[in-house]
């Protein structure tokens, strides 16, 4: 199976959620989804973007031979369905809840009104969309042309940028991330046993340690992948 992943540089939930803007409080509508509920399907009308208050959402599509391709796993604070902003009329992907999810649904009309009233806000949105597309393209290239271990190292580097922090007491770098091993395996296009073997190999090499919610990079490790 083939996969790509998408990480977001900033938490846009607070910036976008309509309760921040007095004229749009009526647009502040939350919807709840149970695990495995679909938020939208491929070919659904594309007229909303979604902001995750809590929970986890998988984005993907199916190939002609029925294989599932996972494009992204989004978590608290992330935005998805953003292609509606730039004129997408029908979804070319599905979105499904991986846990109980609370989502603020924002119509494209509302978002465009917010953008019209605030040029800085508008530039931030377009920058966000451009960066997301650029990252997906780059990571797809990595997925197609690099082995699983290299893909894992690249992914850990990205996690360290988004979720990592130095520990003053040990000098190590602690990455407290929201992904399970199943999530990581899906995003990296491999199996959980293979992923676990790679983590154990990196542990034995003295590069890192890990547990369910954190990856610990030892202080002598400056970078994992070029």
């Amino acid at each position: 199976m083939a996969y790509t992943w998408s990480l977001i540089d900033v938490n846009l939930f607070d910036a976008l959620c309509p309760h921040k803007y007095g004229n749009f409080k009526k647009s502040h509508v939350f919807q709840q989804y149970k695990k495995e509920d679909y938020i939208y399907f491929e070919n659904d009308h594309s007229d909303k973007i979604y902001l995750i208050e809590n929970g986890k959402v998988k984005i993907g599509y199916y190939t002609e031979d029925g294989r599932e391709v996972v494009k992204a796993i989004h978590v608290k604070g992330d935005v998805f369905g953003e292609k509606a902003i730039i004129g997408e009329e029908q979804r070319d992907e599905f979105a499904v809840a991986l846990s109980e999810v609370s989502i603020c649904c924002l119509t494209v009309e509302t978002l465009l009104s917010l953008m019209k009233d605030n040029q800085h806000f508008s530039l931030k949105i377009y920058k966000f969309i451009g960066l997301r597309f650029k990252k997906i393209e780059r990571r797809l290239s990595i997925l197609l042309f690099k082995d699983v271990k290299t893909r894992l190292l690249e992914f850990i580097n990205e996690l360290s940028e988004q979720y990592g922090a130095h520990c003053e007491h040990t000098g190590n770098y602690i990455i407290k991330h929201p992904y399970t091993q199943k999530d990581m395996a899906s995003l990296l296009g491999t199996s959980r046993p293979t992923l676990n073997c790679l983590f154990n190999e990196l542990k034995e090499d003295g590069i890192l340690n890990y547990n369910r919610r954190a990856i610990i990079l030892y202080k002598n490790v400056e970078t994992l992948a070029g």
Side-chain angles (χ1 to χ4, degrees):
M1 288 191 289
Y3 297 87
T4 184
W5 65 87
S6 174
L7 299 176
I8 307 306
D9 292 312
V10 293
N11 184 325
L12 289 179
F13 181 87
D14 289 336
L16 293 179
C17 210
H19 77 276
K20 295 282 185 178
Y21 306 90
N23 294 335
F24 295 94
K25 286 186 178 180
K26 292 181 180 179
S27 302
H28 190 214
V29 177
F30 283 89
Q31 294 184 3
Q32 312 298 319
Y33 296 88
K34 296 179 181 179
K35 184 177 180 179
E36 299 184 358
D37 281 352
Y38 278 82
I39 297 154
Y40 58 75
F41 295 91
E42 292 182 68
N43 299 318
D44 277 359
H45 184 52
S46 183
D47 61 352
K48 296 183 180 70
I49 67 166
Y50 302 86
L51 302 89
I52 303 176
E53 181 187 33
N54 284 298
K56 191 181 298 183
V57 174
K58 177 172 68 177
I59 307 296
Y61 64 91
Y62 293 100
T63 63
E64 291 183 358
D65 59 2
R67 290 179 297 138
E68 182 183 85
V69 177
V70 178
K71 296 175 64 178
I73 293 177
H74 294 307
V75 297
K76 179 178 180 180
D78 283 355
V79 176
F80 64 95
E82 72 283 348
K83 284 185 286 186
I85 304 170
I86 56 175
E88 177 189 65
E89 295 183 356
Q90 285 187 312
R91 299 291 183 190
D92 61 1
E93 61 194 18
F94 64 78
V96 62
L98 292 179
S99 65
E100 290 190 0
V101 181
S102 176
I103 295 174
C104 179
C105 303
L106 189 61
T107 66
V108 172
E109 181 181 2
T110 296
L111 182 61
L112 291 177
S113 295
L114 288 169
M115 293 169 68
K116 182 179 179 181
D117 293 341
N118 189 322
Q119 184 178 13
H120 178 72
F121 176 82
S122 179
L123 291 173
K124 190 172 184 178
I125 295 299
Y126 284 122
K127 182 178 180 180
F128 156 71
I129 294 173
L131 286 173
R132 173 169 282 185
F133 287 172
K134 184 177 180 179
K135 286 188 175 184
I136 289 177
E137 182 179 3
R138 181 175 66 84
R139 290 166 188 154
L140 180 58
S141 177
I142 291 169
L143 183 66
L144 291 173
F145 299 110
K146 296 191 178 183
D147 59 73
V148 178
K149 184 175 181 179
T150 303
R151 299 203 297 267
L152 173 59
L153 295 175
E154 292 273 2
F155 184 64
I156 293 173
N157 270 338
E158 301 251 10
L159 290 179
S160 70
E161 293 175 4
Q162 188 172 15
Y163 299 107
H166 283 286
C167 177
E168 294 181 1
H169 298 293
T170 65
N172 296 329
Y173 208 68
I174 313 298
I175 307 170
K176 295 183 178 180
H177 60 85
Y179 300 102
T180 65
Q181 279 205 8
K182 182 179 179 180
D183 293 338
M184 291 185 189
S186 294
L187 293 169
L188 295 168
T190 189
S191 66
R192 291 177 68 183
T194 297
L195 182 65
N196 194 52
C197 286
L198 288 172
F199 267 118
N200 286 335
E201 180 181 324
L202 293 171
K203 182 179 179 180
E204 292 173 2
D205 289 343
I207 294 173
L208 56 76
N209 202 344
Y210 67 97
N211 55 44
R212 187 177 179 184
R213 288 300 180 191
I215 298 170
I216 303 166
L217 296 181
Y218 293 127
K219 59 184 177 182
N220 61 317
V221 179
E222 294 184 3
T223 184
L224 291 175

